[in-house]
């Protein structure tokens, strides 16, 4: 049992460091909804922000068998599962992450699922997935000012805003339903307009705006 205690200790440390890392990313925004699911889709942990966003999503999205978790969320976990199982083809250091964008009456909610380390070797009920839910439409007034200030088109603005969530070009493309080269082109224009040379600089300028 020392083994399992040790691994659960490590796991809670990882959850904490993952959560802290995510906290710092979203410190400038409302705290994200955080849900931890096991491989069976059972909720192990849920914060208040997640509860609010889940209630919103549930009004218009199909939920899985347990009635709490939207199917889209389970799909992300399944996607991660298959990434984990096919891990040999993925570089061992690739972040195991899956994202999707859901629309609700109050705007978009970005779901990001991360598989916690060690998940691969555990049976389903022992697996842990950390899912962050973030509303990406609540800073409209401030957003509009930023968008106007930098002269971005609506699409460039969407890309820039999703960029601040730390997503890859491919994930941004998936979230917005556009191709990766299109995302790259948008980012190039955003950099020109915002006079930035890196993605990090874009995020910093937006946070500052």
């Amino acid at each position: 049992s020392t083994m399992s205690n040790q691994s659960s200790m490590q796991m809670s440390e990882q959850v904490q460091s993952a959560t802290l890392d995510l906290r710092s990313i979203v410190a400038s925004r409302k705290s994200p909804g955080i849900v931890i699911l096991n491989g069976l889709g059972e909720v192990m942990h849920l914060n208040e922000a997640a509860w609010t966003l889940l209630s919103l999503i549930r009004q218009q999205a199909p939920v899985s068998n347990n009635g709490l978790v939207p199917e889209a969320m389970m799909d992300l976990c399944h996607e991660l599962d298959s990434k984990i199982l096919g891990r040999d083809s993925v570089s061992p250091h690739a972040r195991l992450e899956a994202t999707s964008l859901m629309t609700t009456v109050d705007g978009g909610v970005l779901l990001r699922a991360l598989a916690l380390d060690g998940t691969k070797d555990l049976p389903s009920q022992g697996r842990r997935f950390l899912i962050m839910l973030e509303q990406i439409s609540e800073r409209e007034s401030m957003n509009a000012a930023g968008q106007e200030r930098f002269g971005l088109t609506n699409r460039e603005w969407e890309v820039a805003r999703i960029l601040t969530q730390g997503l890859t070009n491919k994930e941004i493309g998936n979230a917005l339903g556009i191709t990766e080269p299109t995302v790259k082109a948008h980012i190039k224009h955003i950099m020109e307009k915002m006079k930035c040379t890196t993605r990090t600089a874009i995020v910093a300028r937006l946070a500052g705006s």
Side-chain angles (χ1 to χ4, degrees):
S1 89
T2 350
M3 270 298 287
S4 65
N5 283 349
Q6 208 175 356
S7 68
S8 65
M9 284 268 298
Q10 277 176 339
M11 189 167 268
S12 64
E13 274 169 33
Q14 277 158 357
V15 173
Q16 277 171 338
S17 65
T19 311
L20 287 174
D21 182 34
L22 301 170
R23 284 271 158 76
S24 63
I25 295 171
V26 293
S28 59
R29 302 200 283 285
K30 237 169 68 172
S31 69
I34 290 181
V35 182
I36 296 178
L37 293 178
N38 68 10
L40 303 174
E42 294 165 347
V43 176
M44 314 304 289
H45 169 80
L46 184 72
N47 69 358
E48 205 174 322
W51 179 258
T52 311
L53 289 175
L54 280 175
S55 309
L56 257 183
I57 293 170
R58 279 208 305 277
Q59 289 169 25
Q60 58 203 107
V63 288
S64 61
N65 314 344
N66 62 16
L68 179 65
V69 181
E71 273 177 11
M73 209 184 253
M74 288 309 301
D75 291 344
L76 288 179
C77 294
H78 294 147
E79 192 184 318
L80 285 177
D81 254 343
S82 56
K83 281 186 185 176
I84 292 166
L85 297 172
R87 194 55 184 275
D88 310 331
S89 59
V90 187
S91 86
H93 305 298
R95 271 200 313 181
L96 279 179
E97 201 173 295
T99 52
S100 90
L101 192 63
M102 300 198 71
T103 44
T104 74
V105 281
D106 285 356
V109 175
L110 185 74
L111 303 183
R112 294 179 66 191
L114 300 143
L116 298 176
D117 286 357
T119 290
K120 172 182 173 185
D121 311 312
L122 297 163
S124 290
Q125 61 267 39
R127 295 185 178 174
R128 293 290 178 270
F129 298 102
L130 178 84
I131 298 165
M132 282 204 311
L133 302 95
E134 249 190 293
Q135 249 183 323
I136 50 176
S137 62
E138 46 182 32
R139 292 161 61 208
E140 288 311 328
S141 53
M142 182 178 144
N143 285 347
Q147 183 176 357
E148 279 164 30
R149 184 177 148 196
F150 299 115
L152 303 181
T153 65
N154 288 344
R155 182 56 99 179
E156 286 165 356
W157 183 246
E158 280 183 320
V159 170
R161 229 168 34 171
I162 294 188
L163 191 65
T164 63
Q165 322 270 341
L167 272 64
T168 63
N169 287 355
K170 189 176 176 197
E171 289 169 333
I172 294 172
N174 290 345
L176 294 175
I178 55 181
T179 65
E180 209 173 331
T182 306
V183 175
K184 281 184 182 157
H186 283 313
I187 291 175
K188 188 167 168 268
H189 296 146
I190 294 166
M191 285 178 173
E192 285 163 6
K193 290 180 179 179
M194 294 178 69
K195 302 183 173 46
C196 295
T197 50
T198 64
R199 297 162 76 96
T200 318
I202 294 175
V203 175
R205 300 274 319 251
L206 284 176
S209 75

